[in-house]
Amino acid sequence: MKKKIKLPLSIFEIVAYSLLLLLGIWGFVYTILGFVCEFLSPFKSSLAAQNIAIANNTAGMGFMYQGFLIMGLAILAAVIILLANAKKSDRDFERQQRRAARLAKDNKVVDVESTPVNE
């Protein structure tokens, strides 16, 4: 019989963290592009022109601020998932501790011999 392996992370967590990592990398790339565009502004480059065009269409948020926003959203979502799963893990751990204490208490059987009292 095969032993069932208990993964430290659920499938949902693995998929969610992978997607959030990709989202964070996307935000990081946008941030780097924004920093590069800050230094390319005096020069007439197509990347700096694209940054200005994006900023005009998105309420003044160029590559850099969009990258900060995307990274912030990815970090916020990861923290929420971490907190939810930590709470679940704590509940499971406490349940196991209570069960272990209850089983330890039930195994303590004391044999008592009674002697008749002579009056």
Side-chain angles (χ1 to χ4, degrees):
M1 191 188 310
K2 288 185 178 180
K3 280 188 170 181
K4 188 175 180 181
I5 298 173
K6 175 78 171 133
L7 295 175
L9 296 174
S10 68
I11 301 298
F12 168 75
E13 286 179 284
I14 294 171
V15 170
Y17 293 143
S18 299
L19 291 176
L20 290 172
L21 177 67
L22 292 175
L23 190 67
I25 291 172
W26 177 35
F28 182 71
V29 168
Y30 263 36
T31 304
I32 296 299
L33 285 175
F35 282 128
V36 169
C37 287
E38 289 293 321
F39 294 108
L40 289 179
S41 292
F43 306 108
K44 300 296 179 194
S45 71
S46 60
L47 186 61
Q50 186 65 32
N51 186 38
I52 292 169
I54 287 176
N56 289 337
N57 290 331
T58 58
M61 290 187 353
F63 281 130
M64 186 168 44
Y65 295 112
Q66 284 183 8
F68 287 150
L69 181 68
I70 292 169
M71 280 194 302
L73 291 175
I75 291 169
L76 181 66
V79 166
I80 289 171
I81 292 172
L82 277 170
L83 290 174
N85 288 315
K87 189 173 185 178
K88 179 181 170 251
S89 296
D90 287 344
R91 246 185 291 132
D92 291 341
F93 179 73
E94 288 173 1
R95 184 181 312 131
Q96 289 173 355
Q97 291 296 321
R98 286 192 305 267
R99 184 171 189 270
R102 187 174 59 245
L103 290 175
K105 186 170 52 171
D106 290 344
N107 289 337
K108 292 181 183 176
V109 177
V110 178
D111 290 331
V112 178
E113 292 182 20
S114 62
T115 57
V117 177
N118 293 331
E119 293 184 18

